[in-house]
Each structure stands twice: as C-alpha cells, then as structure tokens.
Amino acid sequence: MSNPISRLATGAAYGASQLPRMAWYVGHGIAMRQLARATRAQGSRPPARTDKPTPDRVRMLADIAKLLKADLENVDAGIYPFPVDRDGALWEVLDRSRLFFSDLPEVHRRRENGLTSEVLESGFRGKRPRYYLQNFHFQSGGWMTGESARRYDTQVEVLFRGTANVMRRQALPPLHEVFAGRDPAGLRLLDAGCGTGRFLDFVRQTWPRLPVVGVDLSEAYIREARSHLRGRAGTRLMVAKCEALPVADASLDAVTSIFLFHELPPKIRRGAFAEFGRVLKPGGRLVLVDSLQTGDNPAYEGSLELFPQNFHEPYFSTYVTEDFGRLAREHGLVHRRDVPAFVSKVMVFDKAG
C-alpha cells in the first residue's frame, strides 16, 4: 500500500485488533504467575533459575514491537492480507480460558513431582510412538485429548504474550517468494504437525485456492483443526507421522512445520527431514518456525535454559544445539536463511534442483 493515508488506516486497524488480544493473554500470564507465587508460599519447590542472561521487560517489549512491525509491513507490502485471528465467539474464548486455568493445579502437581508420562496410563499406551506419549508442558492429556486440543491455543498464546499467531504468520513471506506469479490452484502445500490448524488458516486466507494437507499425530487435534477450518475447501487433514508422510515422492511445492521440531527427538527430526526431502519437488520450499537456538540471541540464553524446566520439553536441550544446515544437506535440502521473530525464528530451506 503506497498511499500514506491507507497505511495509517491499516496501522490503526491493526493496533485495534492485535493490542487488545495481546492484553487479554498478558493478563492471563499475570494471573498465572500470581497463582504460582501463592502456591510457592505454601511450601512448593523454588522456581527454576539460571545464571545466563534473560531479557528484561524493556528488551522484551522492544522485540515484540519489532515482530508486530514486521507483521504490519508484510500486510502493507501485500505479502498476505490483513490477518483475521478467528479466535471464535466470546463463549469459545472464555471456555478455552476456563480449561487453561482449571488445569493449572494439575500442571503444578506434575511439575512438583516430576510426573511427565501420566498420559501413558490413560489408555494411550501403544497407540502412538513412545516419544509422543508424554505430558508435554505438564498439561493433562498430553496432546491426546479433546480438552488438550481446546486448551492449547490459549496456553501457547499466554506463553508468547499473545504473539503466537504473529510468529506463525512469519512463515508466509518465504512461501510468497516461491508462489508469486504462479497459479495457487496448481500448487500443493503440506503442514507437518498442523495441530489445531491455526497456521493453515492463515495460508488459506492468503491463498484461498491453494490445496493444502495438514498432518498431525493427534486425532483430537485433527478434529479441532477440522472445526477451525470448516468451510475452507481444498483442505485435507489426516492423522500421520511427520517421519512417515502418506504423500507421493516429489509431489509437494512447499512443506511447513510450526512449533514442532523442539518436541521431536533427534532421530525423529532426521526422519522428518528425510521425508521432507522425499516429498518436495525439485526447487520446492521448506519453512520451519520454531524456538531460537543457542547462540541466536545472547539476551535470551537464560530463557532457553529455563523453558524446558518450567514446561516439560524432553527434547529441547538437543533442539537448541541442532545443526539444521547440516541436517538439510544430508537430505538434499539447501539452508537459505534464518529470520528472527521474537522468541522464535523462521528457517528457510529449498530442495536442490
């Protein structure tokens, strides 16, 4: 948008849509921390600590502002349309908040007692790979239940201070680079670990005619994604492993994966990259959005150490040191660049040829 008045109007509308949403989830975070302090006062274990630097409030607000600025600039540049977060009706938002707060005592109990695999004793043993059957984030049901699926988006937005969707959208510019000038109806994209379908929703907002496939290991999360994406024609969702994709060789123009790889053990990461190299067409693009890694931003080194202590993330310590450039080369992919996006980064790869 080259018209200054149009840019000003878009900026005002953007602030009116994003800032109250962020304030809602920041408020949840404040309440959660107050509850945690009250619990610790009753004799709980002390909070996790680190000697490494963590960002102060000024630094964090500056990095959030930079992320929001990039999001708005992408809209102004026509890379994607004005974002619609589609959080649902007020009763749905409130119900997700209820589920979030009602699970906090159970989260605290598991964290205090080191209980990370209760999901195994809930009838899921043997139904999914062992690495998947854990109480990630210490939450009830792991990734396996309907309540977990409905709770997830509130949980992750609270964690990221209302910026999770903004970070997800930063995967769209690298797709725009390779989709520009091409008929979206003739292309095909797969999202690995699609979860509740929030990123695929932004893909369909940007390219309504683009056929997309979403795969996830959780039936409950696939059901939630179907509900969120209902009415979006050309969307196929299925239960499948990212390390064993039910897709033909060289059949995809793009593969994406958002907030998944830090939850995969090293062997499965390699299996997933092998699959991505197999299913992408020559010249196809892979875009990952995930946590910062060690060395990416010195101000957040302590946060990377604290995160797996506060949220059960058994593979995070290997993720932060993973050499994704080398991993890509081993499977016919070229690492193009990393782009920081607050506490996450966008990793861009292309298949050789």
Side-chain angles (χ1 to χ4, degrees):
M1 298 179 182
S2 57
N3 188 325
I5 296 177
S6 296
R7 288 200 301 271
L8 183 62
T10 302
Y14 181 86
S17 68
Q18 294 299 312
L19 296 181
R21 186 175 185 275
M22 291 174 60
W24 171 256
Y25 292 114
V26 168
H28 281 58
I30 293 171
M32 178 181 68
R33 287 187 288 275
Q34 288 176 338
L35 290 170
R37 283 195 292 269
T39 302
R40 285 197 296 270
Q42 298 172 15
S44 298
R45 292 190 307 178
R49 299 185 183 279
T50 178
D51 295 328
K52 297 178 181 178
T54 58
D56 60 20
R57 182 176 299 179
V58 172
R59 173 59 187 268
M60 190 167 290
L61 288 174
D63 288 342
I64 290 174
K66 185 176 180 180
L67 174 68
L68 298 176
K69 181 174 181 287
D71 196 35
L72 182 57
E73 287 176 346
N74 290 335
V75 174
D76 282 334
I79 293 174
Y80 45 82
F82 191 95
V84 179
D85 289 289
R86 297 207 319 131
D87 292 316
L90 178 60
W91 71 266
E92 294 175 289
V93 175
L94 292 175
D95 187 56
R96 287 197 294 270
S97 292
R98 176 188 64 81
L99 289 169
F100 170 76
F101 281 112
S102 66
D103 197 41
L104 290 181
E106 287 298 290
V107 169
H108 174 74
R109 178 182 65 82
R110 294 188 188 95
R111 183 182 290 121
E112 290 295 299
N113 295 284
L115 302 174
T116 60
S117 299
E118 287 186 347
V119 68
L120 271 176
E121 310 308 323
S122 303
F124 298 114
R125 186 184 295 272
K127 295 184 178 180
R128 291 294 184 275
R130 177 63 185 89
Y131 76 83
Y132 193 74
L133 293 177
Q134 304 202 43
N135 292 87
F136 290 98
H137 297 195
F138 292 109
Q139 74 168 341
S140 298
W143 303 138
M144 297 298 292
T145 66
E147 284 198 347
S148 163
R150 293 194 301 276
R151 183 190 305 118
Y152 174 78
D153 289 300
T154 296
Q155 186 188 73
V156 75
E157 289 288 8
V158 172
L159 174 63
F160 294 133
R161 293 166 173 78
T163 67
N165 275 349
V166 187
M167 290 190 286
R168 289 181 176 112
R169 288 194 290 271
Q170 304 320 297
L172 297 174
L175 297 175
H176 180 270
E177 290 176 355
V178 295
F179 289 172
R182 303 168 70 183
D183 180 7
L187 304 175
R188 194 178 181 209
L189 175 145
L190 180 142
D191 188 37
C194 66
T196 61
R198 264 51 182 180
F199 175 68
L200 280 178
D201 190 18
F202 292 123
V203 170
R204 298 310 306 277
Q205 289 182 34
T206 307
W207 299 282
R209 298 172 61 240
L210 173 67
V212 301
V213 178
V215 301
D216 199 279
L217 261 176
S218 172
E219 292 179 5
Y221 277 69
I222 287 291
R223 286 195 299 270
E224 184 72 13
R226 287 195 178 110
S227 175
H228 185 69
L229 295 166
R230 61 184 178 273
R232 300 278 190 189
T235 302
R236 184 184 178 197
L237 301 170
M238 67 183 82
V239 176
K241 303 175 185 178
C242 63
E243 66 272 28
L245 296 172
V247 179
D249 294 358
S251 61
L252 299 174
D253 298 277
V255 173
T256 57
S257 187
I258 315 296
F259 303 151
L260 171 67
F261 268 70
H262 71 276
E263 294 183 341
L264 300 179
K267 180 180 178 180
I268 304 302
R269 282 185 219 128
R270 280 147 182 77
F273 260 78
E275 282 292 89
F276 298 162
R278 178 183 68 82
V279 302
L280 278 169
K281 297 176 182 178
R285 174 147 289 186
L286 168 65
V287 183
L288 307 182
V289 177
D290 216 308
S291 166
L292 295 172
Q293 293 180 278
T294 300
D296 285 336
N297 190 330
Y300 287 85
E301 290 295 307
S303 300
L304 297 182
E305 187 173 284
L306 291 172
F307 178 61
Q309 299 179 53
N310 291 322
F311 299 86
H312 177 56
E313 293 288 358
Y315 313 115
F316 194 78
S317 62
T318 63
Y319 165 82
V320 294
T321 59
E322 184 71 81
D323 185 345
F324 281 96
R326 178 179 179 180
L327 189 54
R329 290 191 299 272
E330 292 173 353
H331 299 289
L333 301 170
V334 180
H335 184 198
R336 296 300 186 192
R337 65 183 179 273
D338 293 341
V339 181
F342 183 31
V343 293
S344 70
K345 64 177 178 179
V346 183
M347 295 176 271
V348 183
F349 309 84
D350 289 329
K351 184 171 179 178

